[in-house]
Amino acid sequence: MPASSNCSTERLIDIQIVVEDALSEAVLRRLLAPPLGRYRIAACYGKRGCGYIRKKIHGFNQAARAGPYLVLTDLDDAFCPAELRNHWLTAPQNRQLLFHVAVREVESWLLGDKDGLARFLGISPDRVPGNPDAVADPKSALLGLARRSRKRHLREALLPRIGSTAIVGPDYNGTLGEFVLIHWDPLAAARRSESLKRLLDRLAAFCRTGG
């Protein structure tokens, strides 16, 4: 069982977040807010893909001198999180900058809650990968599960329309954001995703010590 992010006091820590997209924002909002976390999001930056974060990371690192920032990006095709961080952030990392890399995508963390995702999609839990961090393309894996969904409105929201050049459906982020905020069990997911567990542990440690 991973440590939750609960602090021993009732004081909420103000934190700024930086994300690739709306789905990553929903995930952090779920992880940071009570009862799981003891944080209050002061501002959210990004939602313009990983290129924006890579371009601005040194500015966020400097801004973290004044207060904590949590940056979340996907590993995608990089070799490992440490390699990505070292490649993007060449200056010393401020102790109040929490720079976390989801392995391999934030969708991995959704796959980690096998039972919750299966109920949401209306499929068998046996179809959900048991080791989400090892899935090479979590987004494609999730879309494959959505194709098997018995719920038509979910298929229409998550899957690209026939003839479309889009990778995902018209309400992919909104629909999965609803799953994250209402149905997703982060602690269950963290039992299968070491990447998610590391973030929960880091948030809990920062909450206790202030860095």
Side-chain angles (χ1 to χ4, degrees):
M1 173 77 67
S4 76
S5 298
N6 287 327
C7 295
S8 58
T9 69
E10 292 302 315
R11 181 180 64 88
L12 297 182
I13 298 176
D14 285 330
I15 193 168
Q16 324 262 353
I17 64 173
V18 185
V19 296
E20 289 192 15
D21 51 33
L23 179 57
S24 296
E25 178 186 4
V27 166
L28 290 190
R29 289 191 180 278
R30 181 69 189 279
L31 297 179
L32 293 169
L36 184 62
R38 299 300 306 172
Y39 293 86
R40 177 171 49 228
I41 296 174
C44 176
Y45 302 99
K47 293 192 284 188
R48 305 181 200 177
C50 65
Y52 171 85
I53 298 176
R54 182 176 180 178
K55 181 180 179 181
K56 300 288 188 180
I57 188 63
H58 287 281
F60 291 127
N61 189 38
Q62 291 183 344
R65 296 173 182 172
Y69 275 70
L70 172 56
V71 175
L72 177 63
T73 192
D74 291 338
L75 180 62
D76 291 326
D77 297 326
F79 178 69
C80 69
E83 179 187 66
L84 185 147
R85 279 192 296 268
N86 292 337
H87 188 56
W88 286 18
L89 187 60
T90 55
Q93 183 172 334
N94 190 290
R95 68 177 185 83
Q96 293 197 102
L97 178 72
L98 286 71
F99 187 179
H100 195 78
V101 182
V103 179
R104 288 202 165 262
E105 297 173 320
V106 76
E107 282 87 350
S108 302
W109 299 353
L110 276 57
L111 293 171
D113 181 11
K114 289 185 63 167
D115 293 334
L117 184 61
R119 283 193 300 270
F120 182 72
L121 293 176
I123 61 173
S124 168
D126 294 337
R127 296 193 178 277
V128 183
N131 184 6
D133 287 5
V135 176
D137 191 341
K139 184 182 271 87
S140 291
L142 201 154
L143 290 172
L145 297 175
R147 288 188 180 90
R148 297 179 177 275
S149 176
R150 296 189 292 268
K151 303 175 182 180
R152 179 178 176 181
H153 71 284
L154 291 183
R155 296 196 306 270
E156 292 178 344
L158 295 173
L159 298 173
R161 292 169 178 164
I162 296 175
S164 170
T165 59
I167 298 174
V168 298
D171 195 28
Y172 179 86
N173 284 331
T175 299
L176 291 181
E178 175 189 347
F179 165 70
V180 166
L181 295 174
I182 300 175
H183 306 285
W184 184 51
D185 184 345
L187 296 181
R191 286 193 285 269
R192 293 188 175 90
S193 170
E194 180 64 25
S195 169
L196 175 56
K197 180 182 182 298
R198 284 197 300 269
L199 177 57
L200 289 176
D201 289 346
R202 183 68 186 95
L203 289 171
F206 188 91
C207 192
R208 290 192 301 267
T209 66

